[in-house]
Amino acid sequence: MSFRVEIPEPLRLRHRQTAESRNWLAQLPDFISQALQQWQLTVDLPASGSPSYGYTGVVIPVLAEDGSAAALKLAFPHDEAHLEPVALSLWDGHGAVRLLAHDKTLSALLLERLDDSRSLARLPVDDAVPVWGALVKSLSVGPDNRSQWQQIPQLAATAERYCDELPQRWSETAEPFPRWLLEAALEVCQTWGAVGRRSSSDVLVHTDLHYENVLGRPGTQEYWAIDPQVTLGHAEFALAPCLWNRLQDLPERNAEAGLRRRASQLSQAAGFDELLAMQWTVVREVENALHYFEETANSADAQRSLWVASTMAGKTLPWLPRAHALKPIS
């Protein structure tokens, strides 16, 4: 059951900043070995193959004791990682990858294995839209009497917090974009931070449901979600990642109209209130832009977020690069 993993450089760079994260990296190979032994797993990699890596963890294809294919995921313990097994248990395999086992101490998940060669990123956007829309509908489940719901953060609370935080962050980063765009985001937050707190329409939302986080289920034509980051609120909050990804697929001429058309098509496929979905996209991309400016002033990532936010707000900022010159998200 022993398996030694070479920590890739991107993962090392991501987790070298604090003693806690460096300690996790040092223990990661032992955590993997413990999980393999605990669940009686066999690593299912070709001789020259290597596990998949993200910025916060590693995913290893494995075989369970009965020979069934599975995936072992270990992530640095943080808020989103703690919520992933909670969300997966609430979905219980309806639209999202099925959780087979979970060890909180190791921050390890045993998951049903999906086909990573069949993501929505490999489909033309027009073909991906109806698949994405149907998946969102499956994932949009409302709270019931299960205790896990108490752990899911509320979008209304986030919006209320943004009302105070976004103006302060905008000032502290030297007002890096026009006030009208900040106010467009704040108007949404002020409305739903107060009114939407106890909405009967609130559902579990996968907030990072971009094209690469939707994979095919082996032996079927189904597509399921992976890597959930979740909140409880408007389903429309899910739209934004499909707008800030695949900008290179927009038409060269009038990409702004192309993005708005894409937002409309995705909203229709998912049964969204189109205006609300676009408004939440403005909020999310304004917050993303401020985050990027806080990390690196005038960064290319911030320009991408501002282009999407201002385009969704109806007035693309004229000093930004054209869509196809923006940095693709990494």
Side-chain angles (χ1 to χ4, degrees):
M1 297 291 178
S2 62
F3 177 75
R4 242 12 227 187
V5 60
E6 290 295 327
I7 308 301
E9 191 61 21
L11 203 59
R12 290 187 184 279
L13 292 174
R14 174 77 173 181
H15 295 288
R16 69 180 181 180
Q17 303 301 325
T18 67
E20 182 184 15
S21 57
R22 291 192 298 271
N23 183 57
W24 176 77
L25 278 179
Q27 295 184 82
L28 180 56
D30 290 334
F31 289 159
I32 293 172
S33 296
Q34 290 178 50
L36 291 172
Q37 183 174 3
Q38 173 177 315
W39 289 320
Q40 296 296 295
L41 305 173
T42 303
V43 175
D44 188 28
L45 280 169
S48 58
S50 60
S52 300
Y53 300 101
Y55 285 108
T56 59
V58 58
V59 179
I60 304 166
V62 294
L63 296 175
E65 194 172 15
D66 63 2
S68 59
L72 175 62
K73 178 177 181 178
L74 292 97
F76 176 72
H78 61 293
D79 289 345
E80 291 170 356
H82 292 322
L83 284 175
E84 181 171 357
V86 177
L88 292 178
S89 67
L90 289 172
W91 280 314
D92 194 23
H94 295 90
V97 62
R98 190 177 299 279
L99 177 66
L100 304 177
H102 169 228
D103 187 311
K104 185 176 181 179
T105 302
L106 299 176
S107 192
L109 306 179
L110 185 62
L111 306 167
E112 184 172 2
R113 195 191 310 177
L114 300 183
D115 185 354
D116 60 6
S117 70
R118 287 176 55 212
S119 78
L120 287 193
R122 295 175 179 263
L123 293 181
V125 172
D126 288 345
D127 294 337
V129 165
V131 178
W132 185 87
L135 182 59
V136 168
K137 291 178 180 179
S138 295
L139 295 173
S140 297
V141 297
D144 52 32
N145 59 4
R146 287 176 289 178
S147 62
Q148 295 98 314
W149 284 103
Q150 302 303 315
Q151 301 179 54
I152 305 298
Q154 294 190 359
L155 178 56
T158 301
E160 186 175 48
R161 176 166 51 83
Y162 281 174
C163 290
D164 294 326
E165 288 185 359
L166 295 185
Q168 180 179 353
R169 293 167 64 188
W170 181 73
S171 296
E172 290 174 348
T173 51
E175 303 180 0
F177 51 85
R179 178 179 290 275
W180 70 260
L181 184 56
L182 173 68
E183 291 177 346
L186 289 174
E187 183 178 358
V188 181
C189 293
Q190 289 160 358
T191 299
W192 297 110
V195 177
R197 180 172 298 280
R198 296 181 180 177
S199 172
S200 61
S201 63
D202 284 354
V203 295
L204 186 59
V205 184
H206 188 318
T207 68
D208 196 30
L209 196 64
H210 57 77
Y211 304 96
E212 290 185 352
N213 272 350
V214 181
L215 302 181
R217 189 183 181 206
T220 75
Q221 296 302 309
E222 296 174 333
Y223 282 84
W224 282 1
I226 62 168
D227 294 345
Q229 299 173 22
V230 291
T231 191
L232 178 63
H234 293 138
E236 286 82 358
F237 196 73
L239 175 66
C242 280
L243 300 184
W244 67 57
N245 281 275
R246 297 185 71 164
L247 294 178
Q248 302 302 311
D249 292 342
L250 292 172
E252 289 277 357
R253 185 174 181 179
N254 201 349
E256 294 81 4
L259 186 71
R260 289 189 284 267
R261 184 166 56 250
R262 181 181 295 179
S264 178
Q265 292 168 341
L266 287 161
S267 294
Q268 291 177 29
F272 288 166
D273 177 319
E274 187 174 322
L275 177 59
L276 183 58
M278 292 183 179
Q279 289 174 333
W280 277 124
T281 297
V282 173
V283 173
R284 297 191 65 180
E285 282 289 57
V286 163
E287 195 282 329
N288 283 341
L290 289 171
H291 170 74
Y292 291 131
F293 280 123
E294 288 162 347
E295 285 193 334
T296 308
N298 301 314
S299 72
D301 288 308
Q303 290 180 337
R304 180 188 60 247
S305 289
L306 290 175
W307 188 88
V308 173
S310 60
T311 298
M312 287 296 98
K315 189 168 64 175
T316 307
L317 296 174
W319 46 266
L320 292 172
R322 295 174 62 85
H324 291 80
L326 293 165
K327 177 187 174 184
I329 196 161
S330 56

